[in-house]
């Protein structure tokens, strides 16, 4: 969280990661942006993550999972080359992308740093590469309007036709501008629509319970 720990991302060396990875059954990455390894977190550069994956692939009998929950990928970092890299070295069949909202105005208000267009481009790259996209969204931002909530629901319904949605309720992080704020109530139309997607198996997460938040089964 940059507002808590600063804007400089710290990365373990490839040697350190490789040494630690020997002790695990599978190799998984816990990261807010798994493709940002070796970068400033703003400008995509695949050279470091390529070197890391290549080195890890030399460890025998280890499955590598990159871009699976809870280690999602920011949409603007997803490219054809990035998807090809994951396909070459990794075992996952899904790629988890952090969209956070389906309303353009909400993305701007929370200073997310990407657009809905970026999200759809990332989804296209995933499906073109043979991966199933799983899109992370948050509902109930304190200043979110009914219209913005409905835009996010519409977005989720579109995503559900080709992939999955992982939804959770807004929860404030200490040290951020929304510290101390509480989630707004969800209108009945939103509860009904998200509930229908959940019943159909296309949506998971704790979107209707702000206290549970992030717990979820890890999927391949």
């Amino acid at each position: 969280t940059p507002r808590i720990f600063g804007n400089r991302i710290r990365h373990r060396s490839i040697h350190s990661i490789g040494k630690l990875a020997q002790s695990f059954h599978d190799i998984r990455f816990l990261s807010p942006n798994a493709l940002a390894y070796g970068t400033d977190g703003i400008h995509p550069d695949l050279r470091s993550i390529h070197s890391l994956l290549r080195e890890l692939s030399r460890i025998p009998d280890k499955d590598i999972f990159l871009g699976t929950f809870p280690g999602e990928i920011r949409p603007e970092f997803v490219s054809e080359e990035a998807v090809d890299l994951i396909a070459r070295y990794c075992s996952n069949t899904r790629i988890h992308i952090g969209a956070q909202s389906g309303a353009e105005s909400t993305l701007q208000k929370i200073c997310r740093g990407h657009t809905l267009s970026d999200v759809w481009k990332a989804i296209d790259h995933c499906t073109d590469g043979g991966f199933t996209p799983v899109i992370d969204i948050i509902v109930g931002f304190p200043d979110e309007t009914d219209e913005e909530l409905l835009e996010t629901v519409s977005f989720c319904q579109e995503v559900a036709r080709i992939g999955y949605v992982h939804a959770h309720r807004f929860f404030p992080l200490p040290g951020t501008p929304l510290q101390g704020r509480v989630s707004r109530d969800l209108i009945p139309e939103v509860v009904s629509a998200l509930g229908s997607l959940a019943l159909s198996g296309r949506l998971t997460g704790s979107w209707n319970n702000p206290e549970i938040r992030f717990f979820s089964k890890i999927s391949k």
Side-chain angles (χ1 to χ4, degrees):
T1 307
R3 290 183 181 273
I4 299 176
F5 298 107
N7 293 319
R8 182 176 179 272
I9 300 177
R10 294 172 294 171
H11 305 276
R12 289 184 181 272
S13 68
I14 292 177
H15 173 74
S16 172
I17 296 171
K19 184 177 179 180
L20 291 168
Q22 309 261 359
S23 302
F24 293 90
H25 183 273
D26 294 329
I27 301 173
R28 297 179 184 271
F29 300 89
L30 176 61
S31 170
N33 185 12
L35 284 175
Y37 178 72
T39 76
D40 60 3
I42 300 172
H43 304 95
D45 187 338
L46 294 173
R47 289 175 294 180
S48 293
I49 193 69
H50 187 187
S51 297
L52 174 62
L53 292 175
R54 185 175 56 216
E55 186 66 25
L56 293 176
S57 70
R58 294 171 180 158
I59 303 175
D61 303 319
K62 302 286 185 184
D63 284 325
I64 302 172
F65 297 88
L66 181 77
T68 56
F69 185 81
E72 63 185 29
I73 298 173
R74 284 184 61 94
E76 69 272 30
F77 276 67
V78 180
S79 62
E80 182 180 348
E81 294 77 16
V83 170
D84 287 344
L85 198 62
I86 296 172
R88 188 188 317 171
Y89 291 108
C90 302
S91 298
N92 44 295
T93 59
R94 300 181 180 188
I95 294 179
H96 201 113
I97 300 167
Q100 311 312 354
S101 178
E104 199 77 69
S105 52
T106 297
L107 293 176
Q108 293 174 2
K109 283 192 289 188
I110 65 174
C111 302
R112 180 60 182 167
H114 65 73
T115 66
L116 275 182
S117 176
D118 293 326
V119 177
W120 283 115
K121 287 177 183 176
I123 290 173
D124 288 342
H125 287 311
C126 288
T127 55
D128 289 347
F131 288 91
T132 300
V134 182
I135 308 302
D136 191 74
I137 62 112
I138 299 171
V139 291
F141 287 104
D143 298 320
E144 198 167 25
T145 66
D146 290 356
E147 290 73 20
E148 288 167 336
L149 277 170
L150 291 172
E151 285 180 47
T152 292
V153 164
S154 177
F155 169 75
C156 291
Q157 290 169 331
E158 290 184 63
V159 168
R161 296 189 181 101
I162 53 176
Y164 296 89
V165 177
H166 182 254
H168 53 272
R169 194 74 166 268
F170 166 80
F171 192 87
L173 288 176
T176 69
L178 295 179
Q179 174 181 314
R181 303 291 298 276
V182 296
S183 173
R184 62 150 291 173
D185 292 334
L186 303 184
I187 58 177
E189 296 90 331
V190 171
V191 174
S192 176
L194 296 183
S196 295
L197 289 176
L199 287 172
S200 70
R202 309 306 290 188
L203 182 145
T204 60
S206 302
W207 54 272
N208 206 21
N209 188 339
E211 297 303 319
I212 297 178
R213 309 202 303 281
F214 303 113
F215 298 103
S216 174
K217 292 181 180 178
I218 295 176
S219 60
K220 293 183 180 182

